[in-house]
Structure formats: structure tokens, C-alpha cells
Amino acid sequence: MNRYMKKALDLAKMTKGQTGKNPPVGAVVVKEGSIIGMGAHYGYGQPHAERQALQSCNMDPRGADIYVTLEPCSHHGKTPPCTDAILEAGIRNVFYAEKDLNPKVSGHEVLANAGVSVEHTPDDETAALYRDFFNHLVRQRPNVTLKCAMSVDGKLALHDGTSKWITGEAARMDVHEARNVHDAILVGAHTLLHDNPRLTTRIEGGGRSPRPVVLLGAGALREDLEIFKHPKRPVIYTTNEDNLKYEDRCDVKTGDWSPAAVLRDLYEMGLTSIFVEGGASVLTSFIKEELYDQIFLYVAPKIFGESMHSLYREKIFSMDEAVQLELVDVEKLGPDFKITYRKA
């Protein structure tokens, strides 16, 4: 990866998690060996990175090169095609790192047919940035990250259910960073009613709080719940129609909602990434139905001993039935470890 594409990738990474249904994209315009313009896609419905970069140029971009992390779009959506902007600007060469799997996009072909030199320069780092985006596009459901904090002997709580502050400050701050790049945060009835969490993002600068989603089942909402103070309107899935009296404060969806149905509904609402912080029951349901893409395990140097609160409550009777995961990363956070897995 050359330095111009690396700069474009850095710009794209800065907006990851805030572009909604659109992917994060960075673009750099280069003329006579110097960068004359840079841009990134800042949010759904806003100008794409190529247009931002071309508009920021400090000299005429005619005859320049543009480096883009993702193949330029060629269709009308919330914004006009980026291929039009590139052609109007008189760009000579286009370099892009990742091909867009959206069947509506044929930017390479459109630009090449117009006489522009176009080169696809793939690399693993950029491919990793877009893995989640293409995953939700193909599966037509949000990307799902499961999160849990546990002891070294694999327990989510003591036998009596006590679970607060399993991990240290560094791990807890990392969780807030993860919330910041997800569209929604999902918990179950026990977490909501027992812990009464705020479900906000608390990082320097405020961060972006994901929309709260609760699998409440037959549980009953209460006046004192902190989620009613959340900056975004909570979504409640419940079988208890008495909860409809709180419709002025949240979206109450009654019925027998399965995790798969919930994800489809959230996707139709425009939410493309879900951070699941539920307890053992919620985590088990998502793992059992294979409705997850990655798992964040925060492991504290503590031993809880005998406890019914484990990550996965289903009985497994043979090694062939064991849930298979792929190790992605291990990171030390103060006294704790964060282990990231993908579904194998």
C-alpha cells in the first residue's frame, strides 16, 4: 500500500461506525507528487469521500490522481454518483483498494469506458475494514457483536447473580469505545430490570451512544428506568401488552419475537451493527441460532467457582457439536484480557 492509499485508509477509519448503512470511505487527490485534497464520508446522506476530497482541493484537480479506499459509486442514492464528480473534475487516474460488492456499483467499468485509467489495488488491511459492511449487505441483517465480561473460570457472575465490575477500568473504557462504533446496543430483561443500565457511550468528547434495544419478554417496564433518559429512543420487544402505556417514551413492539426476527426488524429500521451486552440467556440464544459475527470476551483475573452464570447454557454432548470460533486478537487491558473471536 503506497502512502497516498494509506492516508485514504486512515481517513476512512476515522469515520467507522458513524456512516450508518453506508461504508466508511477515505479519498486523497494527488497532483504533481503532492496531496491537494482529502475527504471522508462522514454520515449517511452526506457527500461521499470522493466529492469531499475534490471540493477540498487547493488547486485545479484536472489531470490529478485520486486514491479511494472503496470502488467509486456509479448510481444515484442519497447523493449523486461519485463517478460523475470524478469525470467532471478531469481526474486522470483512479486507484481504489476494495471492490464494492453492491450489484448497483460498477464504478470501475463506468470510469474505464469514459477513458479514465482505473486500477484496483487490493490489500488485507482495507479488506478487513469492509468485512462487516459486506457481511450485513449479503446477509440482510445487522452485524452482531456479542460482548461479555467473565472470570478466568468462564463465569459471567457469582452464583447469586452478582456481576458488577468484573473487569477493571481499562476494559470498561474499551467497551465504551465499542459502543461508540455500533448503531444499537441490545440487552435482555434481567440486565434492564436488575442493573437498570444507562446504555450510553461515555468516552472523552461524548462519543455516539447506540440506540438501546431490549428483549423484554414478559417483563414490565418501570418509571425509574435509566433508558428513558437515553438520547435515542429505545426499542422494546415484549409479549407484555401492558408495556404499551410507555409508547410516549419508547417504541414498544409486542408479540413473540425471536432473535432472528428482531435482527430483521432492526435492519429494516436502518441499524446495521448491534452490540449485544445481554446476560447468559441472551448470549446463549444468539450463539445457538448462529446470529453473531464476532465475540468480545473480557477476561478478569478472578475465579468465581461454582455458578450457573456461564456464556453458553446449552448442553453439548460431543466435540462435533462444540461451537467453533476463530481467534482474531488478544489484547491486554490493565489487569484484564480482551479476546476477540469470529464465528468459524
Side-chain angles (χ1 to χ4, degrees):
M1 182 189 303
N2 70 22
R3 63 191 181 100
Y4 302 127
M5 190 65 80
K6 180 66 169 62
K7 173 64 72 174
L9 180 58
D10 289 342
L11 290 166
K13 286 180 176 179
M14 288 172 62
T15 66
K16 182 181 179 182
Q18 66 185 53
T19 54
K21 280 191 170 184
N22 290 345
V25 180
V28 172
V29 183
V30 179
K31 190 171 185 178
E32 298 174 0
S34 298
I35 294 176
I36 64 170
M38 297 186 295
H41 180 47
Y42 296 115
Y44 184 61
Q46 297 188 40
H48 289 185
E50 296 93 323
R51 288 183 178 272
Q52 296 273 19
L54 291 168
Q55 290 170 7
S56 75
C57 287
N58 56 23
M59 62 184 295
D60 186 354
R62 191 163 300 278
D65 304 335
I66 190 168
Y67 293 79
V68 191
T69 54
L70 185 66
E71 180 182 6
C73 68
S74 56
H75 67 289
H76 282 271
K78 288 282 186 180
T79 58
C82 291
T83 50
D84 287 358
I86 290 170
L87 293 174
E88 290 166 5
I91 294 296
R92 181 182 59 184
N93 298 301
V94 175
F95 302 91
Y96 68 95
E98 189 71 9
K99 184 165 183 60
D100 198 327
L101 299 184
N102 188 333
K104 295 180 181 179
V105 175
S106 56
H108 187 128
E109 182 180 356
V110 168
L111 292 168
N113 288 342
V116 177
S117 173
V118 187
E119 187 174 343
H120 179 204
T121 58
D123 71 89
D124 291 342
E125 191 175 358
T126 311
L129 176 66
Y130 292 111
R131 183 180 294 115
D132 289 348
F133 172 71
F134 291 132
N135 181 57
H136 86 71
L137 191 68
V138 171
R139 294 174 183 261
Q140 292 293 291
R141 67 153 173 81
N143 290 304
V144 177
T145 300
L146 306 182
K147 168 263 173 184
C148 74
M150 61 168 52
S151 61
V152 292
D153 54 344
K155 304 301 190 300
L156 277 59
L158 298 177
H159 189 68
D160 65 359
T162 302
S163 61
K164 194 171 185 180
W165 309 138
I166 292 177
T167 55
E169 181 65 23
R172 294 198 294 273
M173 287 306 301
D174 190 81
V175 170
H176 284 285
E177 295 286 353
R179 289 181 179 183
N180 185 54
V181 297
H182 284 79
D183 292 339
I185 179 170
L186 185 149
V187 298
H190 180 80
T191 298
L192 178 74
L193 301 176
H194 184 265
D195 297 343
N196 195 12
R198 284 183 281 174
L199 301 182
T200 54
T201 298
R202 299 183 290 280
I203 59 177
E204 187 176 349
R208 185 185 70 123
S209 290
R211 189 170 183 180
V213 177
V214 182
L215 306 185
L216 189 57
L221 295 171
R222 304 191 311 260
E223 293 284 345
D224 68 333
L225 292 174
E226 290 290 329
I227 59 165
F228 290 143
K229 303 173 186 175
H230 199 282
K232 294 182 180 173
R233 189 174 172 86
V235 186
I236 311 296
Y237 295 92
T238 178
T239 58
N240 185 349
E241 295 193 358
D242 287 344
N243 290 315
L244 290 168
K245 63 186 178 184
Y246 290 95
E247 280 188 309
D248 60 327
R249 291 185 241 181
C250 57
D251 292 341
V252 180
K253 304 200 173 195
T254 59
D256 189 11
W257 289 86
S258 68
V262 167
L263 291 181
R264 285 194 298 271
D265 190 54
L266 294 173
Y267 193 70
E268 290 174 2
M269 293 165 58
L271 301 171
T272 60
S273 57
I274 311 296
F275 196 53
V276 179
E277 288 198 41
S281 296
V282 171
L283 293 171
T284 295
S285 66
F286 276 84
I287 294 172
K288 182 179 180 180
E289 297 189 31
E290 298 187 353
L291 294 172
Y292 66 97
D293 301 291
Q294 61 182 351
I295 301 177
F296 292 169
L297 296 183
Y298 295 89
V299 184
K302 300 172 183 176
I303 296 175
F304 285 177
E306 184 178 349
S307 171
M308 62 177 288
H309 303 284
S310 59
L311 171 61
Y312 191 58
R313 288 180 170 176
E314 289 292 306
K315 289 184 178 180
I316 296 176
F317 297 98
S318 72
M319 291 301 294
D320 291 337
E321 297 176 359
V323 177
Q324 299 293 323
L325 302 172
E326 176 187 345
L327 179 64
V328 176
D329 187 47
V330 179
E331 181 181 2
K332 192 174 187 301
L333 299 171
D336 310 310
F337 279 98
K338 176 187 179 184
I339 308 175
T340 302
Y341 292 101
R342 274 198 299 264
K343 183 169 60 177

